[in-house]
Amino acid sequence: CPPSPCSAAPSSITACSTMSLQTAFISTVPAPHLRAGLAAASLAVNAAPALAAAQASAPLPSALTAVALGATVGGAAAAQRRRRSGRAPAVQLEATRTEWFRKVKRIGNDKAIFDVTIPKPMGVKIQMFPQENRKGMGVSEVVDDGNCDQVNRKVIIDEEPGMWVMEGDQLLCVDGVDVERGSIDDVVNIVSNNGKDEVTLTLLRDTRRGPVKIVMMPGGKMETVRRNCRLSAAGEYAKQGVLKYGCLDGWCGTCWHRERTTNGVFKPCSDLITEDWDSVLPMVLTFRPEKVGDAAFFGTGD
């Protein structure tokens, strides 16, 4: 049996413009409500390295035994990739997608389990899901310039081996210990007493209904955007301001971007983030206008 369904990113994730998703995860749950009994807390970002001996690792839950150990398959192939820009042969692009998909273990058609190893202090915040119909805990924030953010950038931008962490991912295990039905205190205890300088998180992602990581190149600015938001939300966040476009339906070509892995054309002025995008892949966009116009400043990545 698969682990508890991770039907979508938390309902409190409503960031669709310049407000970041990780802020929405927390800010939509009032602090008094949290104090009144809603189970929510944060894993300390700067947890000190453990001084105690490592705890004996509990076995993986039965739902994960057959899948979690295969989550990092394909790392060797991914290590051979080089950064790409512009157009590339279709065969090469198809291989790149395959390499990304080999980094995870699929459960059904839209769930993916994978491991990410992060040096201490991790720079990631864990919070109990605020919805009554969604149990467990997940990632509420990846702290800018923290160790988790650095791991993400190495994997996403530099295309190093491994997987990456996104807001909305559900936490299943910490160093192989099942915390799917545990508490924040359980996580803190494991991290603080594992006797290592790094922590391995086993995460579950809804790849079709959860949020999507948008990366604006060449600057490498990242934003997590929920489904059915306009792609322009990520651009406005990267630019920290409202954007203007030459048209409203993409016909003029002045805002067109190319996605690195699929080589597809994306039009921020009109495109939505739909269920068609598999969020195992980050959406890495580079400005490739068909002609110069009012929106040409959008893709500078500054």
Side-chain angles (χ1 to χ4, degrees):
C1 297
S4 301
C6 180
S7 59
S11 61
S12 58
I13 298 177
T14 57
C16 199
S17 58
T18 58
M19 183 176 68
S20 65
L21 176 140
Q22 58 264 38
T23 302
F25 190 107
I26 301 171
S27 63
T28 53
V29 184
H33 191 188
L34 295 177
R35 291 194 294 270
L38 180 63
S42 295
L43 177 64
V45 174
N46 294 314
L51 298 178
Q55 288 185 327
S57 296
L60 286 172
S62 57
L64 301 176
T65 302
V67 294
L69 296 179
T72 57
V73 174
Q80 299 175 1
R81 289 182 292 165
R82 297 186 301 271
R83 299 185 64 177
R84 306 171 181 85
S85 60
R87 301 172 186 268
V91 173
Q92 184 181 19
L93 293 169
E94 182 65 33
T96 302
R97 285 195 295 268
T98 299
E99 288 166 7
W100 275 109
F101 295 152
R102 284 175 177 169
K103 293 171 181 270
V104 304
K105 186 67 177 182
R106 298 284 182 172
I107 298 180
N109 295 324
D110 56 5
K111 303 294 193 303
I113 289 180
F114 53 92
D115 289 339
V116 180
T117 299
I118 308 169
K120 294 180 180 178
M122 290 191 293
V124 59
K125 292 184 178 179
I126 306 296
Q127 186 174 350
M128 302 301 293
F129 289 117
Q131 304 94 316
E132 294 183 359
N133 63 346
R134 188 179 186 189
K135 306 300 181 181
M137 67 189 85
V139 177
S140 64
E141 181 180 0
V142 175
V143 179
D144 288 343
D145 298 323
N147 282 333
C148 185
D149 184 48
Q150 295 301 318
V151 169
N152 281 0
R153 291 185 176 278
K154 289 177 181 178
V155 173
I156 294 174
I157 297 178
D158 299 332
E159 299 187 273
E160 292 188 6
M163 263 298 282
W164 51 281
V165 179
M166 181 166 61
E167 296 84 354
D169 288 345
Q170 182 176 353
L171 181 61
L172 300 181
C173 294
V174 179
D175 284 338
V177 180
D178 178 20
V179 295
E180 185 177 359
R181 296 175 179 83
S183 66
I184 298 294
D185 288 340
D186 294 333
V187 176
V188 172
N189 184 54
I190 297 169
V191 172
S192 300
N193 296 287
N194 71 348
K196 298 184 293 185
D197 294 330
E198 60 185 23
V199 180
T200 298
L201 305 180
T202 300
L203 301 168
L204 174 69
R205 181 175 301 170
D206 189 326
T207 64
R208 295 292 181 178
R209 290 174 292 180
V212 174
K213 182 70 75 177
I214 309 293
V215 184
M216 307 303 300
M217 298 298 289
K221 290 190 176 181
M222 300 185 183
E223 172 65 339
T224 305
V225 179
R226 69 177 177 87
R227 305 284 174 160
N228 298 318
C229 276
R230 292 180 63 172
L231 185 57
S232 59
E236 289 176 352
Y237 170 77
K239 287 294 183 182
Q240 296 295 304
V242 178
L243 301 175
K244 297 180 181 180
Y245 300 99
C247 68
L248 296 177
D249 56 9
W251 64 267
C252 75
T254 59
C255 73
W256 287 13
H257 283 62
R258 286 278 177 180
E259 202 286 316
R260 183 182 65 189
T261 303
T262 64
N263 205 35
V265 173
F266 286 83
K267 306 167 186 176
C269 68
S270 59
D271 284 352
L272 300 178
I273 307 298
T274 68
E275 294 183 5
D276 294 334
W277 187 264
D278 190 312
S279 63
V280 167
L281 282 71
M283 185 181 289
V284 182
L285 300 175
T286 301
F287 192 45
R288 292 288 185 269
E290 291 297 304
K291 62 181 180 180
V292 177
D294 292 340
F297 68 91
F298 176 71
T300 62
D302 296 332

